[in-house]
Amino acid sequence: MCNFDTGYSKVLWLYSKFILYRPISEIAQEERKVIFVEDVEIARSTKLNKIVDIASKIGIEEEELEPYGRYKAKISLKAYERLKNKKDGKLVLVTAINPTPLGEGKTTMAIGLADGLQEIGKKSILALREPSLGPVFGIKGGATGGGHSQIAPMEDINLHFTGDIHAITSANNLLSAMIDNHIYFGNELGFDRVTWKRCVDLNDRQLRKVETGLSGEKNIVPREDGFDISVASEIMAIFCLATDVKDLKRRIGNIIVGYTKENKPITASDLKADGALTVLLKDAINPNLVQTLEHTPAIVHGGPFANIAHGCNSIIATKMALKLGDYVITEAGFGADLGAEKFLDIKCRKADIKPDAVVCVATIKALKYHGGMPKEEIKNENIEALERGFRNLLRHVDNLKNKYGLNVIVAINKYTHDTEKEIEFLRNKLKEHDIELSLVESWEKGGKGATDLAEKIVKLTDKNSHLNFAYDLDKGIKEKINDVATKIYGAEGVEFSEEASEQIDKIEKLGFGNLPVCIAKTQYSFSDDAKNLECLESFKIHVQEVILKSGAEFVVAITGKIMTMPGLPRVPAAEKIDLDEDGNIVGIF
């Protein structure tokens, strides 16, 4: 059985491909169609344990659990308070090479590893992100893994789940409503420029730029506005980086929503909006508990994109998981240059945590694609293309091991068409760099297919490691962006547009120059050019815009043509999603 990931990284990669009008091949589509149908059949044929039993398994007390039906629940923050003095478990980060249209299987790998650890008798728990409705209805793809390595209930998690993203959307848009209402009733705070956008958790390119206030009512002030997808909103970033409800409210209050004529910032707390927004998020801030098909506990909470936000699940969920499990498996979005960099330089710094080991996921066919091999020929043995593509894997591994100082293992999602010659070549190349390899077959075999990786992870997490950040916070914003670009991407430098330079000057004058940087960049390449897969020649990173996220407490640098509101493909998955005669949801894969 071939292996394929239906996880978050694949979904986001594919919908982004459609945005750039670069559709996947018909061959790849047909292969996915067969595999996705099997994923659904596997998920629906598996009997789940009641969520109260899953909670009991990890020491959650009855009064700390709020069930949402039989198979999902929220965990009260009181559980963390009760357990906060307990020793943390080991933290394992799952990341990957730069994504390809062939799928790398990062989410499937994370789930398989958690099940594999359980299979060898270890107490493991997952800490993953929540799916966005945009990719679900944009193309065929959810965010719950694949094959026998899935979290469930699949349809619930991929759709409304427990309502967290809806709450984030409502909080975001309440703030927008309060801004315009304040302006309508006299603009006492002196708004000259509104920087806050509305949001919706769907792909809708028509909303990227809109005109509002066109009703012609007396005193209403028309203005230009726009929408982000909800998971790219600052509220989502705050939600994932807050350490508790008090910190959540503080961060919301610090959001800069606009400026006066004198360029004085106006915040959400100036509007007295922080209390109401916090109330809308008071239930959502409690992490969600579900399970894998093998009944391994999974905390799924928060869902920022990794190419335009920091791409990690919530700090609250991760820290709670560290108190509940001996081994916590978490994932950062897209390749290690995006998700892992932000996990380490933003999340770990904020949460005062570090991974005890890092799994870098790849497939042999994806490596051959990075080596210039056409998709139509990718199943054929080709050592030359594999060797060229190996450079992408090696650069990620080198960053994680030598730049950040972490313990790293490479995990290969194994396919039936991978040849022994290709596997041995890869094993020997990694051995030259003192990196261990594990072949994983969890898509087909579940936890049993990941026991080799699980055993190696147990040994790897026992080794000492230290976390070096890519930059120091006391450096200037340009210096920090340059450090990431040169140290992590391998760029020869950074070029800033005139507008970006002016924005940086303003941000630093406001006193926010000491914040970490969150670089919004294409996920396909180490460069900011999506077509430059091999990065054989020297390149520079081009920063077009720099945006202050004062509530999230980071600075976003926009490179290339990154969009914060994606569009639907020519034939969206929404056309095929329906209910069958028995009331089952069909078309979500």
Side-chain angles (χ1 to χ4, degrees):
M1 176 61 64
C2 63
N3 180 1
F4 193 81
D5 178 30
T6 59
Y8 213 62
S9 60
K10 183 218 39 131
V11 175
L12 300 184
W13 196 96
L14 287 172
Y15 88 67
S16 297
K17 293 293 279 188
F18 278 109
I19 294 171
L20 294 172
Y21 306 103
R22 297 173 61 198
I24 60 176
S25 70
E26 293 181 6
I27 295 173
Q29 286 180 332
E30 287 304 310
E31 182 178 345
R32 288 185 176 92
K33 184 177 180 180
V34 173
I35 294 170
F36 291 158
V37 170
E38 186 162 355
D39 285 349
V40 175
E41 290 175 352
I42 291 169
R44 287 182 177 166
S45 64
T46 302
K47 182 175 175 56
L48 300 179
N49 288 348
K50 291 180 179 178
I51 200 64
V52 291
D53 296 330
I54 297 296
S56 177
K57 179 178 178 179
I58 52 175
I60 298 295
E61 297 178 356
E62 185 178 353
E63 62 271 17
E64 296 167 343
L65 195 72
E66 184 180 356
Y68 279 57
R70 294 180 180 177
Y71 305 118
K72 57 185 188 289
K74 280 196 167 289
I75 306 172
S76 170
L77 297 186
K78 293 177 182 177
Y80 181 77
E81 285 300 310
R82 176 173 60 84
L83 298 167
K84 65 181 180 182
N85 294 323
K86 183 182 175 184
K87 183 181 178 182
D88 284 348
K90 300 290 183 69
L91 181 60
V92 180
L93 172 65
V94 178
T95 185
I97 62 172
N98 291 102
T100 73
L102 306 166
E104 287 64 62
K106 188 155 49 39
T107 303
T108 300
M109 182 69 74
I111 297 167
L113 173 56
D115 285 339
L117 285 162
Q118 182 176 253
E119 185 72 25
I120 64 172
K122 304 299 181 181
K123 186 179 180 182
S124 61
I125 186 169
L126 280 157
L128 302 175
R129 290 174 295 163
E130 298 181 50
S132 163
L133 291 179
V136 172
F137 289 106
I139 63 161
K140 291 183 178 180
T144 55
H148 290 274
S149 290
Q150 298 187 54
I151 51 173
M154 180 268 285
E155 290 97 335
D156 289 7
I157 297 169
N158 280 317
L159 294 175
H160 304 291
F161 200 18
T162 58
D164 293 349
I165 298 180
H166 296 317
I168 288 165
T169 302
S170 296
N172 186 103
N173 293 340
L174 173 59
L175 183 52
S176 287
M178 292 181 73
I179 292 167
D180 288 315
N181 187 64
H182 179 87
I183 294 170
Y184 177 85
F185 282 107
N187 194 12
E188 183 181 344
L189 292 173
F191 276 96
D192 180 64
R193 178 165 53 98
V194 176
T195 56
W196 186 252
K197 290 184 178 182
R198 289 168 162 84
C199 74
V200 62
D201 193 40
L202 293 169
N203 294 359
D204 192 344
R205 64 175 60 84
Q206 286 292 110
L207 296 178
R208 288 172 184 163
K209 185 177 287 189
V210 298
E211 293 288 335
T212 65
L214 302 182
S215 65
E217 298 167 69
K218 184 181 179 181
N219 297 331
I220 201 163
V221 180
R223 68 177 180 85
E224 184 180 283
D225 199 354
F227 280 71
D228 292 331
I229 191 168
S230 297
V231 286
S233 71
E234 187 173 358
I235 299 289
M236 173 61 85
I238 289 170
F239 181 86
C240 289
L241 291 170
T243 54
D244 54 32
V245 175
K246 184 178 179 181
D247 187 42
L248 177 72
K249 182 179 178 180
R250 177 189 68 80
R251 287 171 175 270
I252 288 172
N254 288 340
I255 294 171
I256 293 175
V257 296
Y259 294 86
T260 66
K261 286 183 178 179
E262 296 76 29
N263 278 322
K264 178 186 175 183
I266 303 170
T267 66
S269 62
D270 292 332
L271 284 166
K272 300 181 176 61
D274 47 332
L277 269 64
T278 305
V279 167
L280 283 175
L281 299 172
K282 73 176 182 65
D283 294 321
I285 201 68
N286 295 318
N288 307 297
L289 180 66
V290 290
Q291 62 190 289
T292 72
L293 298 185
E294 297 185 7
H295 316 304
T296 302
I299 297 179
V300 180
H301 197 226
F305 289 175
N307 58 345
I308 50 180
H310 69 290
C312 315
N313 73 315
S314 75
I315 284 177
I316 288 173
T318 301
K319 298 194 90 167
M320 185 177 287
L322 286 167
K323 300 300 181 185
L324 297 171
D326 294 334
Y327 293 88
V328 176
I329 313 303
T330 193
E331 177 192 349
F334 292 130
D337 56 322
L338 287 172
E341 185 273 316
K342 294 168 184 178
F343 179 91
L344 299 168
D345 285 317
I346 298 176
K347 180 175 178 176
C348 286
R349 203 190 302 253
K350 296 279 187 183
D352 193 26
I353 57 176
K354 72 175 180 67
D356 296 281
V358 181
V359 179
C360 190
V361 180
T363 63
I364 286 177
K365 61 181 183 178
L367 291 174
K368 289 188 287 189
Y369 180 83
H370 273 292
M373 193 172 183
K375 291 191 292 286
E376 295 75 15
E377 302 172 14
I378 215 75
K379 293 182 180 180
N380 300 328
E381 182 179 276
N382 190 322
I383 300 298
E384 184 180 349
L386 181 58
E387 185 169 16
R388 289 199 304 269
F390 177 76
R391 287 190 292 257
N392 187 275
L393 172 61
L394 183 60
R395 186 175 291 180
H396 286 297
V397 170
D398 180 67
N399 285 341
L400 295 165
K401 182 182 178 183
N402 299 318
K403 305 287 174 54
Y404 286 109
L406 300 169
N407 299 320
V408 185
I409 185 171
V410 169
I412 297 294
N413 261 315
K414 190 176 183 302
Y415 287 73
T416 52
H417 50 73
D418 296 340
T419 69
E420 286 301 319
K421 186 176 179 181
E422 288 173 327
I423 293 169
E424 196 58 27
F425 170 83
L426 196 55
R427 193 188 306 277
N428 290 335
K429 291 293 286 186
L430 287 167
K431 193 174 181 180
E432 291 175 12
H433 298 274
D434 195 28
I435 298 295
E436 200 161 12
L437 173 70
S438 180
L439 297 176
V440 180
E441 299 177 273
S442 61
W443 189 96
E444 181 183 1
K445 301 175 182 178
K448 287 184 171 65
T451 53
D452 176 70
L453 177 60
E455 288 166 353
K456 288 174 178 175
I457 281 292
V458 170
K459 293 178 181 177
L460 195 61
T461 56
D462 285 337
K463 293 183 178 180
N464 292 327
S465 70
H466 57 280
L467 173 56
N468 304 316
F469 297 118
Y471 53 83
D472 296 326
L473 288 179
D474 58 4
K475 287 187 173 183
I477 293 173
K478 283 188 175 182
E479 290 179 280
K480 286 181 280 199
I481 294 171
N482 187 74
D483 280 348
V484 175
T486 55
K487 294 178 184 178
I488 307 303
Y489 304 160
E492 65 174 13
V494 181
E495 291 183 353
F496 295 88
S497 69
E498 184 177 343
E499 181 183 14
S501 293
E502 290 174 357
Q503 290 164 338
I504 289 171
D505 288 341
K506 290 178 182 178
I507 291 169
E508 291 181 336
K509 285 177 181 177
L510 286 172
F512 293 102
N514 63 339
L515 295 180
V517 294
C518 180
I519 300 179
K521 179 184 75 68
T522 178
Q523 58 271 38
Y524 315 129
S525 168
F526 275 101
S527 73
D528 56 13
D529 178 0
K531 298 180 181 180
N532 186 12
L533 297 184
E534 295 189 60
C535 294
L536 296 179
E537 298 179 3
S538 61
F539 63 89
K540 289 186 176 182
I541 297 295
H542 304 87
V543 176
Q544 311 299 335
E545 185 180 5
V546 177
I547 304 168
L548 171 62
K549 302 291 185 180
S550 52
E553 297 179 355
F554 57 62
V555 175
V556 177
I558 304 292
T559 70
K561 297 180 180 180
I562 293 295
M563 294 181 181
T564 55
M565 169 54 80
L568 290 170
R570 183 178 294 274
V571 183
E575 293 183 9
K576 304 211 172 40
I577 294 174
D578 204 345
L579 294 176
D580 65 18
E581 293 180 357
D582 298 320
N584 294 315
I585 297 171
V586 294
I588 295 179
F589 302 109

